[in-house]
Amino acid sequence: LPKFHTVNERGHFTDDVPEFAGMHVKEADVPIIKHFKIANRLYKKENYTHNYPFCWRCDSALIYYARDSWYLETTKLREDMIRENEKIQWFPAAVGENRFGNWLKGNIDWAISRDRYWGTPMPIWECEGCDEKVCIGSREELRERGGNFEDDLDLHRPAVDEVTLSCSSCSGQMNRVKSVVDVWFDSGSMPFAQWHYPFENKDRFGDLFPANFICEGIDQSRGWFYSLLAIGVMETGRSPYKAVLSNELVLDEQGRKMSKRLGNAADPWEILEKEGADALRWYLIANSPPWVPTKFARHGVTESARKIFGTLRNVASFFVTYANVDEWTPAVASPDVSERPDLDRWILSRLDAVAAETRQHLLDYQVTRAARTLSTYIQDELSNWYVRRNRRRFWKGERGDDKNAAYATLHEVLVTLAKLMAPITPFISEQLYQTLVTPFDGDAQDSVHLTAYPNPDESRRDTQLEKTMGLTLAVTEGARAARTAAGIKVRQPLGKLWVLDTEATELPLPMQEIVKEEINVKEIGFQAADEVRSVSLKPNFPALGPRFGGKVNNVAKAIKSLDDAAVKAGLKEKSWDVDIPEIGVEKITGAEATVQESPQDGFVLGGDSTQVALESALTPALEEEGFVRELVHGFQSIRKDKGLEITDRVRVFIGADEAWQAAFERHRSFIEAEVLASELRIGEPTEGDPWTLDDVKLHVSLEREGS
Ligand SMILES: [Zn+2]
Ligand SMILES: [Zn+2]
């Protein structure tokens, strides 16, 4: 393309514009206006504000200027780059297909020369006398071509510009072109340049190329992601990376960009100071995938730290406290896993499952799923189930196989968790490892970060046990929800819990006992959901309207009045025959009516994956037992208020009317055991302090034995 310049490289008009020759373009504004005015060609003159380029360093006004440039003919590689891009795993996939894919399809040659001083010099020498040009690939080649320079010459400007070659065609002097290389070419050369390839480290390069993944901001599509790919394909025909994780922005809680002006920017130092680096890392990874914009909530960091690290610390310190008391170490012989109780085998089976899942998620770059898998395991299964239900095994006095099995199990769980969490929470993982492993194992790696990532095989998995225990947890959770919904305290025993899930009939008796204990019910039964719930239909007007037009209200009325049995009859096919006045019998589908369910009288429903129904009716015996438990709970508060040790035995008096006296007698041994009473007297309310509990008037006293 020919260039026509009226301004020279210093910004002054040339002799081609005689009226202003020698004048700087910005100083020529007024003379130019005058020139037009004199010639009577000025249409209008005004000042207005518009964008203008300035030098970022010295603020000089700049002008656009056509220059000669060096190009890499990347259009020749377009098809290769598109083919290679299809092999790259992009997170999110849309960036690879759309943003980056379209950018490659519209590829134009890469202008790589820059008219700057600092930078990688263009390695091209031009002849003064003829058209000869030569591109130099190494120091050696430069010397072979006749370049004369010291061995330690810094091959940057200005020194490199002193190196001249002699032309092989005309023997004229060859000088380096003055430009330097686009910095994106430097960063795109990283896979090669970092090993000084191809001059050195060919083996290492071969082992490490291409990289498994690269990670950068989403704005790098036209920057680093592209320059790496272009140079990789140019040099090897392949993409230099197999996967890209492109980070999205961290926004404020409402989804706005963080800015100083809005004052909505989070202060990372404050968070690191207060919550620690692990808490921030965990929050950012568990909250949403890195390639989705994060709506950052400051309190979310605190909450996730409390939930995960608080729980993990409690479990770890529980373990350490009792292991120290019992002087248990990993060297103590413990029963083989297959010999351990159900709960131990279950938590280890789940540990192996969680380890395999987490590992796979990380291999798939699904870091958020990995964090959430670990989170559920730590909170719901380890802390809230395994440790809570096992406390007594650690508390109890005697050492033995059962206690050693419990220690060995919990120790293994904590150590494996440290390894599983290490990539996400490097510090807390290391702390766990340094506490639980290094003091006891001279052969252990010095750091958790030097250990192999857990890769359990399937041999210890007991999927049947996982299934039944999982069901036990689900049933318990559903029943708790039902209790909450009905406003019945857990201390109040209930008659029966129905599990409304045919699979749950597989729940073995020991698991049923666990549920009874957790939920405080006398009996557990299994039956089809329809026995304890009523169903009705709710008309869906947007779907019915077009079909029935003006008669839609009649139709809706008929649908609503369909009785329980009729709705249940059509439940499976989601199709109901409805007799509609003035129209006749019509088939109504699941799209036209929604099934609504409610418990039958005397039942409370709960649970998502596994539905349960609690019989909420209280018999006099259940009410009596519930009251006794309230009473015991009250005595425990009194013990606490009096500052008694948990092992202190007490003398207790309960005074009440005759009916309640008889009731307390029926529960005498329970009260004695729970209150730790060496003496329990039940009699007329003539001594002790008056105490009204749930409208029952009592007189009670509680004293420490021997006082
Ligand atoms: Zn400047
Ligand atoms: Zn020449």
Side-chain angles (χ1 to χ4, degrees):
L1 213 60
K3 292 174 301 201
F4 300 100
H5 281 143
T6 54
V7 174
N8 67 19
E9 293 191 4
R10 301 212 46 81
H12 297 262
F13 282 104
T14 63
D15 294 341
D16 292 332
V17 192
E19 293 87 346
F20 313 109
M23 202 178 281
H24 187 267
V25 283
K26 290 311 289 176
E27 285 158 7
D29 288 351
V30 175
I32 289 171
I33 292 167
K34 270 189 190 149
H35 172 81
F36 282 122
K37 200 168 182 182
I38 291 163
N40 206 19
R41 282 179 185 155
L42 186 70
Y43 168 65
K44 192 179 172 187
K45 167 189 141 185
E46 66 174 343
N47 285 322
Y48 69 99
T49 309
H50 60 94
N51 286 329
Y52 196 87
F54 291 92
C55 172
W56 63 274
R57 193 180 274 269
C58 70
D59 283 339
S60 308
L62 303 175
I63 55 172
Y64 288 105
Y65 203 85
R67 304 271 302 170
D68 282 326
S69 213
W70 290 88
Y71 285 84
L72 289 175
E73 203 175 1
T74 51
T75 44
K76 263 191 179 167
L77 301 169
R78 188 189 290 143
E79 297 313 314
D80 291 340
M81 289 194 286
I82 290 170
R83 181 201 68 226
E84 284 303 299
N85 182 41
E86 279 162 9
K87 298 180 197 162
I88 297 169
Q89 229 186 331
W90 281 85
F91 300 94
V95 171
E97 279 163 33
N98 306 332
R99 196 194 267 240
F100 196 62
N102 291 337
W103 164 249
L104 291 179
K105 278 179 204 142
N107 186 265
I108 50 170
D109 290 331
W110 182 356
I112 60 154
S113 61
R114 294 289 181 274
D115 294 320
R116 292 190 179 178
Y117 192 85
W118 304 108
T120 303
M122 288 282 291
I124 293 169
W125 270 255
E126 282 177 323
C127 178
E128 285 177 350
C130 69
D131 274 348
E132 188 72 8
K133 294 177 179 62
V134 52
C135 182
I136 302 294
S138 64
R139 272 176 188 265
E140 213 172 301
E141 197 182 338
L142 190 58
R143 209 184 288 284
E144 275 167 17
R145 287 278 188 158
N148 198 4
F149 54 91
E150 300 287 318
D151 278 347
D152 60 353
L153 177 81
D154 177 0
L155 286 179
H156 287 92
R157 299 182 78 176
V160 70
D161 292 346
E162 305 295 317
V163 180
T164 58
L165 308 178
S166 115
C167 177
S168 54
S169 309
C170 74
S171 305
Q173 179 173 315
M174 299 187 85
N175 303 307
R176 197 189 70 82
V177 302
K178 290 289 168 273
S179 42
V180 296
V181 176
D182 178 8
V183 287
W184 287 113
F185 191 90
D186 292 3
S187 40
S189 305
M190 175 275 282
F192 309 95
Q194 67 178 341
W195 296 114
H196 197 215
Y197 176 91
F199 306 102
E200 289 180 84
N201 300 311
K202 280 194 171 148
D203 291 351
R204 296 224 60 180
F205 176 82
D207 291 344
L208 294 168
F209 187 92
N212 283 333
F213 77 96
I214 57 169
C215 186
E216 252 291 356
I218 198 157
D219 52 314
Q220 292 296 326
S221 306
R222 291 160 185 221
W224 196 46
F225 298 158
Y226 173 66
S227 63
L228 277 171
L229 180 71
I231 296 168
V233 169
M234 229 177 271
E235 193 62 28
T236 68
R238 298 163 68 193
S239 165
Y241 47 84
K242 295 180 195 163
V244 183
L245 256 84
S246 74
N247 297 324
E248 254 287 359
L249 292 175
V250 176
L251 306 169
D252 79 359
E253 211 174 337
Q254 278 84 46
R256 298 171 303 179
K257 269 194 183 180
M258 290 188 180
S259 80
K260 270 194 181 149
R261 187 176 54 79
L262 290 172
N264 61 348
D267 175 3
W269 297 112
E270 179 267 335
I271 298 168
L272 294 177
E273 197 65 42
K274 275 208 188 115
E275 317 282 355
D278 278 356
L280 183 57
R281 292 171 68 106
W282 182 272
Y283 171 79
L284 287 175
I285 286 175
N287 188 56
S288 59
W291 51 87
V292 171
T294 298
K295 286 186 185 171
F296 185 86
R298 175 65 184 81
H299 60 90
V301 182
T302 315
E303 276 160 32
S304 74
R306 184 174 48 75
K307 271 196 212 152
I308 292 300
F309 307 144
T311 306
L312 197 59
R313 277 207 187 91
N314 283 343
V315 173
S317 80
F318 172 80
F319 170 81
V320 169
T321 305
Y322 287 97
N324 283 341
V325 168
D326 284 327
E327 293 177 346
W328 184 90
T329 74
V332 172
S334 54
D336 192 73
V337 171
S338 60
E339 309 289 317
R340 296 184 200 172
D342 273 359
L343 269 170
D344 291 356
R345 288 189 301 107
W346 168 73
I347 199 71
L348 290 174
S349 184
R350 287 291 304 140
L351 180 70
D352 289 355
V354 162
E357 264 175 63
T358 306
R359 185 185 176 88
Q360 193 56 49
H361 285 324
L362 290 180
L363 286 171
D364 295 341
Y365 300 97
Q366 297 295 345
V367 288
T368 302
R369 287 183 199 162
R372 289 180 183 173
T373 301
L374 290 167
S375 167
T376 307
Y377 179 74
I378 291 168
Q379 292 181 80
D380 297 352
E381 299 184 318
L382 176 61
S383 167
N384 202 23
W385 196 257
Y386 179 78
V387 172
R388 188 170 57 76
R389 291 206 55 84
N390 265 313
R391 280 180 197 281
R392 283 169 201 276
R393 291 170 70 197
F394 295 87
W395 283 338
K396 69 179 177 190
E398 70 275 19
R399 287 278 298 272
D401 278 352
D402 183 61
K403 202 172 198 183
N404 289 337
Y407 278 127
T409 302
L410 190 49
H411 182 262
E412 183 184 343
V413 169
L414 287 168
V415 171
T416 306
L417 278 176
K419 294 178 186 173
L420 289 171
M421 292 172 73
I424 306 176
T425 56
F427 301 106
I428 197 167
S429 298
E430 185 72 331
Q431 192 190 7
L432 271 176
Y433 184 82
Q434 297 298 338
T435 308
L436 300 173
V437 178
T438 39
F440 307 106
D441 183 355
D443 299 331
Q445 296 281 5
D446 290 341
S447 161
V448 69
H449 303 294
L450 296 173
T451 62
Y453 203 75
N455 190 16
D457 59 27
E458 294 275 306
S459 61
R460 266 198 332 189
R461 292 285 300 279
D462 183 340
T463 47
Q464 188 55 36
L465 178 61
E466 282 185 39
K467 196 177 160 194
T468 51
M469 192 70 84
L471 217 49
T472 308
L473 261 83
V475 168
T476 304
E477 196 182 305
R480 279 213 195 95
R483 266 190 181 274
T484 309
I488 304 171
K489 282 188 237 172
V490 179
R491 273 199 289 281
Q492 173 61 59
L494 289 174
K496 192 155 185 174
L497 172 75
W498 291 99
V499 179
L500 309 179
D501 184 320
T502 42
E503 266 188 62
T505 50
E506 292 168 26
L507 214 53
L509 282 176
M511 305 284 181
Q512 294 189 27
E513 288 307 316
I514 293 176
V515 174
K516 282 192 210 169
E517 195 184 309
E518 287 280 331
I519 292 310
N520 196 11
V521 290
K522 299 293 171 197
E523 255 187 283
I524 184 163
F526 302 88
Q527 63 176 334
D530 287 350
E531 300 297 318
V532 294
R533 62 169 189 186
S534 311
V535 285
S536 60
L537 288 182
K538 187 186 169 205
N540 180 9
F541 283 94
L544 291 166
R547 182 171 161 197
F548 294 103
K551 292 179 178 151
V552 73
N553 283 329
N554 281 348
V555 178
K557 213 170 153 190
I559 288 174
K560 275 195 243 176
S561 60
L562 217 58
D563 70 14
D564 181 63
V567 176
K568 277 174 184 165
L571 215 48
K572 208 169 181 188
E573 276 79 38
K574 284 269 160 64
S575 160
W576 297 272
D577 291 328
V578 183
D579 191 1
I580 302 158
E582 294 172 36
I583 295 179
V585 175
E586 289 282 340
K587 268 209 188 315
I588 298 297
T589 66
E592 292 164 328
T594 325
V595 179
Q596 290 190 308
E597 57 180 40
S598 54
Q600 283 178 5
D601 283 351
F603 293 96
V604 198
L605 297 178
D608 299 323
S609 55
T610 306
Q611 241 197 353
V612 300
L614 267 178
E615 282 186 15
S616 54
L618 294 177
T619 61
L622 289 172
E623 276 189 68
E624 179 182 303
E625 198 184 328
F627 182 80
V628 168
R629 282 171 181 254
E630 278 302 323
L631 182 75
V632 164
H633 179 69
F635 275 127
Q636 272 150 359
S637 301
I638 295 173
R639 288 181 57 108
K640 228 180 238 167
D641 293 345
K642 292 196 173 218
L644 298 186
E645 299 289 327
I646 45 169
T647 49
D648 284 341
R649 303 192 76 81
V650 290
R651 285 177 296 147
V652 174
F653 168 77
I654 313 172
D657 66 24
E658 268 179 40
W660 278 113
Q661 285 180 39
F664 298 147
E665 286 297 350
R666 281 193 285 274
H667 296 280
R668 171 177 278 280
S669 58
F670 174 76
I671 298 170
E672 283 171 351
E674 292 294 314
V675 184
L676 228 61
S678 53
E679 179 193 300
L680 170 62
R681 288 184 303 118
I682 297 168
E684 292 297 313
T686 49
E687 52 179 295
D689 302 321
W691 182 23
T692 304
L693 184 65
D694 285 356
D695 296 334
V696 179
K697 289 192 166 56
L698 304 169
H699 274 70
V700 299
S701 71
L702 181 148
E703 277 155 19
R704 195 170 59 185
E705 189 181 45
S707 65

